[in-house]
Amino acid sequence: MATRSKPYTYREPQSEFASNTKRIAAKVAIYGLLLLWTFIALFPIYWTITTSFKVAVDVTQGHLIPWVDYTPDWRGWRSIGLSPDTIFNTSTVREEFMKRFLNSAIMAIGASLLAVVLGSLAAYGLVRFDYKFAIWRNRDISFFFLSQLILPPVVLAMPFLVLYKELALLDTRIGLIVVYTLMVLPIVIWIMRDQFRGIPVELEQAALVDGCSTWGAFLRIVLPISLPGMVAAFILSVVLCWNEYFFAALLTSTNANTLPVMVASQTGSQGINWWSMAALSTAAIAPLAIVGIFLERYIVKGLTAGAVK
């Protein structure tokens, strides 16, 4: 049976010029948005760095561009003893800054290492073994760890104060390391859980057949493969611990104070020393910026591992 063919409709082909124009317009829009977001993200850092080279008049008048709106001055860095003309002189403020810097480094690195060790073991157990506590299963336990991030830190202020007073842990480095470990542990567990999920269990089974124990398979097979994720979790933990202010201000007074507490102390009854605060902030974020620049590929590789299977 013959069928009637549909009438042919002529469509004018799209010109190559119009196609290229749309493609270029799309790229311009994307790169324009990326540049706008980059400016928004980097402007606070730019403002902080430039403010450390301003005097009071330049700060109050909102001058932004050095050598155009104002002449840079070392006043902010001189106030903390880190300017070229004071770096080799005795400075009480610089000694206090170095003490706070050392405290922040010890507690951030120590807490991050402890969190990565404990979090990796917990994440490996949640991925490779099945647990049952009453009605709780592995998924419920994992969500419990994540739910700890929802709890406001101020809720824990009184319990920690009472507990640390009884244990004589107030104003100690070990006390703050314990708090920081508990703070970043849920994040480490979730990052490492995704890492271990992306590792085929057949690799461990083959190691067990070859004579390795469970710990041997973990240390020789799983650990080297998941190392990028551990590095990413460690760096993220260091950043979070380095910038933490609430518990550092609550549980310390003189011996274990950190850099964020010192930065916040620049406010007083006579106003805010913007140049000193900016200089301290710049010196505090410089190590994190250097770490982020040199270890960026490890961070990206660790955080995206297991996302594509």
Side-chain angles (χ1 to χ4, degrees):
M1 181 177 180
T3 58
R4 181 179 299 177
S5 61
K6 296 180 180 180
Y8 176 76
T9 303
Y10 175 76
R11 295 181 179 179
E12 184 178 355
Q14 187 178 20
S15 65
E16 184 177 355
F17 176 78
S19 177
N20 292 335
T21 302
K22 290 183 178 180
R23 192 181 303 112
I24 294 174
K27 288 184 177 181
V28 170
I30 292 174
Y31 283 110
L33 292 174
L34 290 175
L35 288 175
L36 177 62
W37 177 250
T38 302
F39 173 79
I40 295 174
L42 294 182
F43 180 78
I45 299 177
Y46 169 81
W47 185 89
T48 302
I49 296 175
T50 55
T51 302
S52 66
F53 294 97
K54 295 178 182 179
V55 295
V57 176
D58 298 323
V59 174
T60 55
Q61 293 185 0
H63 294 161
L64 292 177
I65 304 176
W67 292 289
V68 176
D69 294 334
Y70 68 96
T71 302
D73 187 86
W74 288 97
R75 179 175 181 178
W77 297 94
R78 191 178 295 111
S79 64
I80 60 175
L82 294 177
S83 62
D85 56 334
T86 60
I87 191 65
F88 298 106
N89 300 332
T90 303
S91 174
T92 305
V93 180
R94 184 175 66 246
E95 293 177 359
E96 185 67 17
F97 168 79
M98 296 305 300
K99 176 184 176 182
R100 305 290 183 89
F101 187 93
L102 183 62
N103 285 341
S104 293
I106 292 175
M107 287 181 280
I109 295 175
S112 300
L113 286 175
L114 186 59
V116 167
V117 172
L118 297 178
S120 298
L121 295 177
Y124 181 78
L126 289 172
V127 171
R128 291 293 188 259
F129 303 98
D130 293 325
Y131 295 96
K132 180 180 178 181
F133 296 99
I135 61 173
W136 285 28
R137 299 296 186 271
N138 288 38
R139 179 177 298 179
D140 303 313
I141 298 172
S142 300
F143 179 77
F144 169 77
F145 284 120
L146 186 64
S147 66
Q148 304 308 302
L149 299 176
I150 305 174
L151 190 66
V154 69
V155 177
L156 303 174
M158 187 59 67
F160 268 109
L161 277 175
V162 176
L163 178 63
Y164 271 40
K165 182 179 180 180
E166 294 297 327
L167 298 177
L169 290 176
L170 288 176
D171 200 21
T172 61
R173 291 175 177 175
I174 187 65
L176 216 54
I177 287 176
V178 172
V179 173
Y180 286 175
T181 301
L182 297 176
M183 181 182 68
V184 299
L185 190 59
I187 300 175
V188 174
I189 291 176
W190 273 77
I191 292 177
M192 295 311 302
R193 194 184 67 155
D194 290 339
Q195 296 293 313
F196 295 138
R197 277 182 174 177
I199 300 176
V201 69
E202 289 78 11
L203 295 177
E204 299 172 59
Q205 293 174 349
L208 295 176
V209 171
D210 290 339
C212 284
S213 62
T214 303
W215 278 102
F218 175 77
L219 296 175
R220 296 183 180 183
I221 305 298
V222 178
L223 190 61
I225 298 176
S226 61
L227 191 59
M230 289 186 178
V231 173
F234 174 77
I235 296 174
L236 181 60
S237 300
V238 168
V239 172
L240 293 176
C241 294
W242 187 276
N243 295 326
E244 202 282 327
Y245 170 78
F246 178 77
F247 287 113
L250 177 70
L251 302 176
T252 64
S253 56
T254 55
N255 297 324
N257 271 344
T258 58
L259 278 178
V261 179
M262 187 177 184
V263 173
S265 66
Q266 300 305 307
T267 60
S269 57
Q270 297 180 352
I272 301 176
N273 296 327
W274 293 106
W275 42 90
S276 300
M277 181 179 289
L280 285 172
S281 301
T282 302
I285 65 177
L288 300 182
I290 295 173
V291 169
I293 292 173
F294 285 98
L295 299 180
E296 177 187 3
R297 59 193 184 100
Y298 294 102
I299 300 174
V300 175
K301 183 178 179 181
L303 293 178
T304 58
V308 181
K309 298 182 181 179

